[in-house]
Amino acid sequence: MTSLKVWGQKEAFTTQSPCSVVRPPAADRYSSSSTNVRNAAAPLEASSHGLSFSRWFNGSGWRQIIILSPYLWLIAFFFIPFLIIVWISLAKTAPVSPPFEFKAQFPYVYWEGYARLFTDTLYVRAYFISAYNAAIATALCLLLGYPMALGLTRVGRFWRSFLLTLVILPFWTSFLLRVYAWMGLMGSNSWLNRGLTAAWNMLVPQAWDLNSIPMMNSNFAVILVMVYTYLPFMILPLYANLEKLDNTLNEAAMDLGSRPSRVFRDITLPLSLPGIVAGGLLVFIPASGELVIPSLVGNSYDPMIGRVISDQFSSARDWPMAATVAVALLILLVVPTMIYAHFEAKAQAARQED
């Protein structure tokens, strides 16, 4: 009997005869077979996972990703920064960097900042001035914007596009440039101020003559520039709402003998309330927290809450108090909006059921 050794690349097989082969032990056979099964199953498992992911993405996955993306954006850039501001508001000013610290023992936080909101006249007065200026600016935007939005729905298609372009045209220029332009117009030596002063001197007795009308550094200037700035935010929601109204209701009411004023009061105005509320929120919320306009054209003795927050962060280096004021302002603005949205959703659901 002869023996023959056949050498492969890494292993050698010994044969006793051409017909008999010495096989490896059973344990080796089983271990090698299980290894081969696992190696063969790995790509199958990976391909099954890829196939299931492909099915999910092609089915409802892309919809879920698109729906989830705005929520991730809001969490990353709104909710998390808000939690950071709340965390800073519970600290206390300290000569460290950053300039705040917490208690060393439980409850680890300070509540004195929130108590100062109701005891310090600076913050109470700033909140009142902010709400007052924002409310007047919102009311003026509504009085000016409602006729403009209603007129946009009553003109032809060409003029409608042209007038809408004029409404959004100020957004094509820098916000700061527009504020600086108003600063020049309201200056004591501007053509607008000189013209208004001449008209005033012609209408009043000589004893009341003025050299110039004081416009700058006043609440009047703040409200005027805010009305100019936020007027498109009132016009566009109103136009979107009024455009969807059914004009046949107005025609039917006029055929039944109603006057145009009564048709507007009983039909057009009630149906446009969602647009009024939307435009009012879009104007009141940013106007109440405005910083640039009060800083440039306002009076430092009558600061709005946005300027107070900025001064606390930058000049006073009182980060906890600035964060406290910001949290309180956010609560005062967001909570009523959420309550309105809740009841509006319930009313809309009830209307759909009817």
Side-chain angles (χ1 to χ4, degrees), residues 344-354:
E344 179 64 22
K346 290 181 64 176
Q348 187 175 0
R351 287 194 297 267
Q352 290 178 354
E353 291 178 0
D354 295 341

